[in-house]
Each structure stands twice: as C-alpha cells, then as structure tokens.
Amino acid sequence: MSGVSFVARHLLPTVLVGVAVMLTGGFFAFARPQYHPPNLGETIKVPPELPAADATGAAGWVWPVGVPGFEPGQMLGRHHDFNISGVQPIEVAAAQLAAARAGLDANGVRVLVSSRAGRNGVLAILAAPALNEEPARTCVAALLQGDAGVRWRCPNWTRSSLDLDHARVLVAAAVFASPNGMHALYLVGVARGDVQRVSLQVPGNPSQEIYTRGNSWGQFESAVTPKHDGGKLLVYDKHGLVETVPLRIKPGTQRVLR
C-alpha cells in the first residue's frame, strides 16, 4: 500500500473538519490540527484492516485478527512524524483505567477512529481485549470529549445494559453551537460485522453513506453542519434497512449512541 493512498484515507477526518470550519464561519477555527502526509511516495507497512465477522449478535463483534485499531500515539512514516491514531496516549488514560476496572487489558487499548472537533479533546472509538480469556473477547468503548466517563461494552457480558449483543453500531457524537446560530455535528462510530452500510441523514443536507463494509475494521465518521436540530443514522444489512438511530443531541452536548 502506497504512502499516498494510505495516508490520504486516514486524513479524511481532517478534510471533514475543515469543511465544517468553513461552513461555520470560522467559529471552529481551533478544530483538529492539520496533518500533512509524510514522505510522499514511500511504502508504509501497516496491519490489514478487516471487518468483524459477518454475523449477528455477539459473534458480529469478533475480528479475524484479534483486537482492531492503532496504538494511541502510534507514529508512521520514515521519520515517525504522522500520528495515525489521531490520539495522544495521555488522552486514553481514563479509558485505560476504566478498562482495568472492568477486567480488560488496559495496555491493549487501541483506537479504531478518532475526530478532534475542538480544544476539549477527541471523540473516539476504542477497543481492548478481556483478561484471562482464550480467545479473549474484544470489547469497545466510545470516548467523549473532556472528562466524560468511559463505559466499556463487551459481547456476551452479563451486565445487560453494557453488552454488545443487540447493538449494531456504537457511536460517539457531539453538536457544537456557534454565536451565529449555526451548528456542527461530529460523530465517530463502529459497525457490527453484519452491517453492510450506514447512511447519515441530517436536516438540510443530502444523505451521506458514511460506511460500507469492506477494507476497514468497521469504523466510520462524519462532520456536517445541519440546518436544523435532529438527524438519524440508517443501518443496513444484506436484506435492507434494519435500524434507525435518532441523533437526538442538543447543541453544546455530546452523547454515546448504541
């Protein structure tokens, strides 16, 4: 895989944020730092990105290569100057502590996708393996900005409110409001293995297909400026639409959706 194509694919969050910045009249000028592809033309060796097993329930949260994602702060490029995770290690410290308390391997926390929408931190989807299991279950968590608590979710977990068995997607989303009344919606998420695609519909914007099952771990993201409050995610499997996830997020707030 060439450095150009690989890095370009992972620079999408920056492009999306840039669009949102322009549309909101510069209110989000402090948004995600701009990353530049290092050493164009070089070959960057990375693990393959493969989606979870094409199955429903807990089986759909099992990845063929084990825990997916990048190490927090993982640097790529000849000069190790591109943070492919988009996250600094210190930013997942609370998630690691929560993982340890939940019986997961805190040192095994990985970042599937992240989006830096402001100065209060990142929105991210994390993954980590359970301890003392063979094979170890992969659990996931949605990381919100600031000091919001982190709750890990695992397949076949007895804590029913936090299990993944009936969840097709896990999403972290935030809506920011500017002084001129415009809003910016940022979201990151991951899809279960049987999900074929995910579309985003927000008022005043054309429908966007933000995920198609293929050469990824199942992660997706978007940054848009809705004309009005509201919106929804449409989740499809092989047979068609199977779930609608309302985006009931008030301006100035953030939420985890599943």
Side-chain angles (χ1 to χ4, degrees), residues 1-8 11 36-45 76-79 81:
M1 180 181 298
S2 70
V4 175
S5 61
F6 174 78
V7 175
L11 281 174
H36 303 282
N39 310 310
L40 294 180
E42 73 171 293
T43 298
I44 299 177
K45 295 182 178 179
L76 295 180
R78 186 176 303 156
H79 302 292
D81 54 0

Side-chain angles (χ1 to χ4, degrees), residues 109-126:
V109 170
R110 298 292 181 265
V111 182
L112 276 76
V113 60
S114 67
S115 177
R116 190 175 300 277
R119 290 177 177 166
N120 291 325
V122 297
L123 298 173
I125 300 296
L126 310 176

